[in-house]
Amino acid sequence: MKKLVAMTICMLIGGCMALFADNLPINIAHRGACGYLPEHTLPAKALAYGMEADFIEQDVVLTKDDRALVIHDIHLDTVTDVAKKFPGRAREDGRFYALDFTLAEIRTLKACERFDIASGSAVFAGRFPLWKSDFRLHTLEEEIELIQGLNKSTGRNVGIYPEIKDPAWHREQGHDISPLVIGILADYGYTRAEDNVYLQCFDFAELKRIKNELKCELKLIQLTEEDFDVAEVAAYATGIGPWIKQLITGIDKDGRPVISDLAAKAKAHGLKIHPYTFRVDGLPAGISAEQLLATLFNQIGVDGIFSDFPDVSRDFIRTRVKQK
Ligand code: CA
């Protein structure tokens, strides 16, 4: 009898643990583990994988030869030595655009920690040193192969989280980025809502087009940075990726975070909430890292987080997130 009770308790605990694990918010490595290694480099992605992120993010822009390049900006000059290697190739605004270079040319560039082009100094002073070691940019296909390869060799199932960058600008320049990215995702087996991928974009009209015209069945995340019509977004998106400041607008006189009504509205419409960006070296004024994560996960109840420090967010999610 004692044995039976013990077994039943074990099964119950096991069941609860499984349920708990299934309900945990997702940890999304923002530009890889970019708090530690230069953003959007394969080493930063491998480190994020090693830190057991649930999803790894890819920002995607096009090259001159329509290759899908993983980089945050349409410009090359804040994370590479393009200005030194191709000094005559800036546009009139002085900027170097990925779209003006072939993939072969871009492969010759050294990538590094993000820096300010006016001063040449690092944006995040405490991160990986500028211009050390040897980092390169890579394609979306190469990154998917890295993640899928690691999924095979480790037996884990880490997802991808691509963002289509500036689709309207790409179109003005004569390049249609969305069908290209969706085609690559399909080539690697990401076609259905249940596949381990979220596709994100800031452009409302484009994400709607991806759903309604391009007939993309993947889970879509509408990124946002200002007020928007939640009901309208709920008609085509699985969730929203709001700026943290849209959820926590500041702190009150007692130092407590002030929470907006956005999350409640989004939840009422069945939308998932994956805010950006958790940075231990770029926290909202007056809020500690621990307080920020506790507010986001345990008070607001977000479903995931974009994190520059996926090890820190992972530890919080695994040990301090209260079950919903
Ligand atoms: Ca992004």
Side-chain angles (χ1 to χ4, degrees), residues 30 57 59 72 163 165 200:
H30 182 243
E57 193 209 22
D59 289 315
H72 181 266
E163 177 183 347
K165 303 296 286 194
Q200 46 167 342

Side-chain angles (χ1 to χ4, degrees), residues 59-105:
D59 289 315
V60 184
V61 312
L62 294 183
T63 65
K64 191 176 185 176
D65 45 347
D66 272 339
R67 297 298 302 274
L69 183 71
V70 178
I71 186 171
H72 181 266
D73 306 335
I74 54 175
H75 309 117
L76 296 164
D77 44 28
T78 51
V79 290
T80 74
D81 60 351
V82 65
K84 201 171 113 194
K85 283 225 176 75
F86 296 98
R89 300 273 296 273
R91 289 195 185 185
E92 276 182 5
D93 60 2
R95 304 301 303 270
F96 296 81
Y97 290 75
L99 206 50
D100 295 339
F101 293 81
T102 63
L103 178 63
E105 288 172 331

Side-chain angles (χ1 to χ4, degrees), residues 3 12 29 71 83 88 97 140 157 188 241 274 276 288-289:
K3 200 175 168 190
L12 281 171
I71 186 171
Y97 290 75
L140 176 61
N157 185 22
Y188 284 91
H274 298 166
Y276 65 90
S288 70

Side-chain angles (χ1 to χ4, degrees), residues 50-290:
M51 289 175 165
E52 301 183 349
D54 301 307
F55 286 83
I56 298 176
E57 193 209 22
Q58 303 78 32
D59 289 315
V60 184
V61 312
L62 294 183
T63 65
K64 191 176 185 176
D65 45 347
D66 272 339
R67 297 298 302 274
L69 183 71
V70 178
I71 186 171
H72 181 266
D73 306 335
I74 54 175
H75 309 117
L76 296 164
D77 44 28
T78 51
V79 290
T80 74
D81 60 351
V82 65
K84 201 171 113 194
K85 283 225 176 75
F86 296 98
R89 300 273 296 273
R91 289 195 185 185
E92 276 182 5
D93 60 2
R95 304 301 303 270
F96 296 81
Y97 290 75
L99 206 50
D100 295 339
F101 293 81
T102 63
L103 178 63
E105 288 172 331
I106 291 170
R107 285 195 193 283
T108 68
L109 303 176
K110 277 190 94 162
C112 71
E113 191 59 35
R114 175 168 292 270
F115 60 93
D116 177 73
I117 43 175
S119 68
S121 55
V123 170
F124 293 95
R127 296 190 180 185
F128 198 87
L130 280 179
W131 306 115
K132 297 295 181 187
S133 191
D134 184 29
F135 300 100
R136 306 280 156 170
L137 299 179
H138 59 270
T139 63
L140 176 61
E141 294 93 321
E142 286 159 349
E143 181 159 338
I144 293 174
E145 288 178 15
L146 176 82
I147 295 168
Q148 292 190 342
L150 282 164
N151 281 343
K152 177 173 182 285
S153 58
T154 65
R156 294 179 61 224
N157 185 22
V158 170
I160 61 168
Y161 209 128
E163 177 183 347
I164 294 175
K165 303 296 286 194
D166 298 289
W169 180 84
H170 275 93
R171 217 165 15 246
E172 274 168 36
Q173 305 287 320
H175 297 251
D176 195 1
I177 183 170
S178 296
L180 257 155
V181 170
I182 292 166
I184 292 168
L185 297 179
D187 288 345
Y188 284 91
Y190 302 103
T191 55
R192 303 164 308 162
E194 57 266 39
D195 293 333
N196 209 14
V197 53
Y198 287 91
L199 182 60
Q200 46 167 342
C201 191
F202 270 105
D203 186 321
F204 289 74
E206 187 74 6
L207 205 62
K208 216 181 290 178
R209 172 190 179 225
I210 287 169
K211 177 77 173 183
N212 298 331
E213 289 174 38
L214 303 181
K215 307 289 180 201
C216 176
E217 292 175 22
L218 302 178
K219 296 182 284 293
L220 303 179
I221 297 292
Q222 179 66 62
L223 297 170
T224 66
E225 51 192 338
E226 48 198 44
D227 287 348
F228 60 96
D229 185 334
V230 176
E232 203 182 312
V233 169
Y236 59 85
T238 306
I240 55 169
W243 192 20
I244 285 175
K245 281 186 184 165
Q246 290 181 284
L247 299 174
I248 302 172
T249 55
I251 49 170
D252 67 15
K253 60 179 172 39
D254 301 316
R256 283 185 303 244
V258 178
I259 295 166
S260 76
D261 63 355
L262 174 57
K265 274 199 227 163
K267 284 182 196 181
H269 283 89
L271 288 164
K272 298 269 185 216
I273 308 169
H274 298 166
Y276 65 90
T277 304
F278 173 68
R279 299 184 165 112
V280 298
D281 55 0
L283 293 162
I287 301 179
S288 70
E290 190 72 15

